[in-house]
Amino acid sequence: MKHILPFKLLISFCLLVLFSTMSYASPALWSVEKNGVTSYLFGTVHVGDPSMKGLPDKVKNAIKQSERTVVELNINALSPFEIQNRTAAFIANSNSRPLPQALSKEVYQQLKIYFSKRDINIALFDSMPAWTVILTMVQLEYQKSGFSDTYGIDKQVIAYANQHNKQIKELEVFEQQLEMFSHVAIFSDEMVTQTLSQMQDSDGFIKEMINAWKTGNDNKLASYYDLSFDDSKYARLAEQILVIDRNHTWVRTLVPDMKKTSHFIAVGALHLPKKDGLIALLKTQGFTVKRI
């Protein structure tokens, strides 16, 4: 089976939205209502191209109508220097193994070949844990395909909310996200080999995913969730840590305030579908959720 999981290991991962039998020509936006209080749920992609500059009008209106904007992490508030320093501090204080120790000799050699084809010496990464190398690889592939976080939708949501003086609420802090990757990386060999396999068609895959998100092609997008998580121990652990556990935590955090205050919630779109997705979890809390 073709795996796409490694592409979700970038801090700006998550490209999927909920399956729908309806056809739309723009990204999915959902109203979430209970007791006369309406909030909004928006599945984002964290990388984009210049054509994605500017939010859809319906999204802008929803932000303006909400009292609070909720994001996974306010990445706009972190400078590249701060991100670098906090990542280095996290690695120094963790039990992560250096790359040559984390990988088998065979997988390390495969990774060496990957970097050598890009004129990069793998020795540059030897002191790093495997998950940071995976993030680097994914960033390289996004850049090769013409995408960057400069046009990421979550960044644009934060910027627009700030322009309209909306309170920004973070669901997580930066180190929590690093901790997630660190936990998933106990299966370092599997993580690297699956990433290398996906890189063989990365350009077409990334463009297809982004285009499906742009056009609101829910049928196309929904299929990627099941492709992402097979029955391997690695996939099951990744789904639990990166998606399911976070969704349940977020709902517990958000629901009390959502009963009395309107929220615009913008999170990676992978967090919306399935029985443990935000849409289903909010429905179990008595909210009426509709696509608008």
Side-chain angles (χ1 to χ4, degrees), residues 26-91:
S26 61
L29 177 67
W30 306 82
S31 65
V32 183
E33 188 273 333
K34 186 175 183 179
N35 298 332
V37 179
T38 300
S39 293
Y40 300 92
L41 182 60
F42 186 44
T44 66
V45 289
H46 305 295
V47 295
D49 58 31
S51 71
M52 297 166 66
K53 183 178 181 180
L55 298 171
D57 288 341
K58 64 180 181 181
V59 173
K60 293 179 181 178
N61 291 334
I63 294 173
K64 288 189 288 187
Q65 292 170 18
S66 303
E67 297 178 53
R68 180 180 296 170
T69 295
V70 180
V71 294
E72 296 176 40
L73 177 71
N74 188 356
I75 197 68
N76 293 23
L78 299 174
S79 68
F81 180 76
E82 185 175 2
I83 290 174
Q84 181 179 0
N85 282 349
R86 289 172 68 171
T87 301
F90 176 85
I91 294 172

Side-chain angles (χ1 to χ4, degrees), residues 20-26 215-218 291:
S20 172
T21 58
M22 301 181 68
S23 176
Y24 295 84
S26 61
T215 58
N217 187 340
D218 293 352
R291 180 161 178 174

Side-chain angles (χ1 to χ4, degrees), residues 203-223:
D203 186 67
F205 168 75
I206 295 170
K207 290 179 179 177
E208 182 179 273
M209 288 291 291
I210 293 293
N211 187 62
W213 179 87
K214 286 181 182 179
T215 58
N217 187 340
D218 293 352
N219 291 350
K220 183 70 172 179
L221 290 165
S223 65

Side-chain angles (χ1 to χ4, degrees), residues 9-234:
L9 295 180
L10 185 60
I11 292 177
S12 56
F13 65 84
C14 304
L15 298 173
L16 309 183
V17 293
L18 183 67
F19 178 88
S20 172
T21 58
M22 301 181 68
S23 176
Y24 295 84
S26 61
L29 177 67
W30 306 82
S31 65
V32 183
E33 188 273 333
K34 186 175 183 179
N35 298 332
V37 179
T38 300
S39 293
Y40 300 92
L41 182 60
F42 186 44
T44 66
V45 289
H46 305 295
V47 295
D49 58 31
S51 71
M52 297 166 66
K53 183 178 181 180
L55 298 171
D57 288 341
K58 64 180 181 181
V59 173
K60 293 179 181 178
N61 291 334
I63 294 173
K64 288 189 288 187
Q65 292 170 18
S66 303
E67 297 178 53
R68 180 180 296 170
T69 295
V70 180
V71 294
E72 296 176 40
L73 177 71
N74 188 356
I75 197 68
N76 293 23
L78 299 174
S79 68
F81 180 76
E82 185 175 2
I83 290 174
Q84 181 179 0
N85 282 349
R86 289 172 68 171
T87 301
F90 176 85
I91 294 172
N93 292 310
S94 70
N95 295 320
S96 300
R97 293 177 295 167
L99 190 64
Q101 297 177 24
L103 301 178
S104 66
K105 291 182 179 179
E106 178 183 359
V107 174
Y108 183 85
Q109 183 62 27
Q110 293 174 13
L111 196 58
K112 183 177 180 179
I113 293 172
Y114 168 85
F115 282 116
S116 66
K117 290 180 179 179
R118 290 153 181 79
D119 296 322
I120 300 173
N121 188 342
I122 194 174
L124 295 171
F125 303 100
D126 278 354
S127 63
M128 300 180 184
W131 59 267
T132 63
V133 182
I134 295 297
L135 298 184
T136 300
M137 295 168 66
V138 175
Q139 287 177 314
L140 288 173
E141 297 302 317
Y142 279 133
Q143 291 169 5
K144 186 182 73 173
S145 299
F147 296 99
S148 75
D149 62 357
T150 299
Y151 300 104
I153 300 302
D154 50 338
K155 279 194 170 185
Q156 295 188 57
V157 165
I158 294 169
Y160 192 81
N162 283 331
Q163 290 173 12
H164 291 81
N165 299 313
K166 299 296 181 178
Q167 179 187 0
I168 304 293
K169 175 180 175 63
E170 295 179 290
L171 292 168
E172 296 168 342
V173 298
F174 183 66
E175 284 73 15
Q176 283 179 277
Q177 298 201 341
L178 299 184
E179 187 70 30
M180 290 186 304
F181 303 136
S182 179
H183 285 319
V184 173
I186 64 172
F187 294 104
S188 295
D189 270 3
E190 291 87 344
M191 179 185 293
V192 171
T193 55
Q194 290 185 14
T195 301
L196 290 171
S197 176
Q198 179 59 37
M199 295 306 179
Q200 297 176 16
D201 187 34
S202 61
D203 186 67
F205 168 75
I206 295 170
K207 290 179 179 177
E208 182 179 273
M209 288 291 291
I210 293 293
N211 187 62
W213 179 87
K214 286 181 182 179
T215 58
N217 187 340
D218 293 352
N219 291 350
K220 183 70 172 179
L221 290 165
S223 65
Y224 288 103
Y225 190 101
D226 292 330
L227 285 175
S228 303
F229 303 111
D230 62 14
D231 291 327
S232 68
K233 291 183 179 180
Y234 168 50

Side-chain angles (χ1 to χ4, degrees), residues 34-39 67-68 254-263 287:
K34 186 175 183 179
N35 298 332
V37 179
T38 300
S39 293
E67 297 178 53
R68 180 180 296 170
L254 289 169
V255 162
D257 286 341
M258 288 176 65
K259 293 178 180 178
K260 52 190 176 183
T261 304
S262 179
H263 290 59
F287 289 86

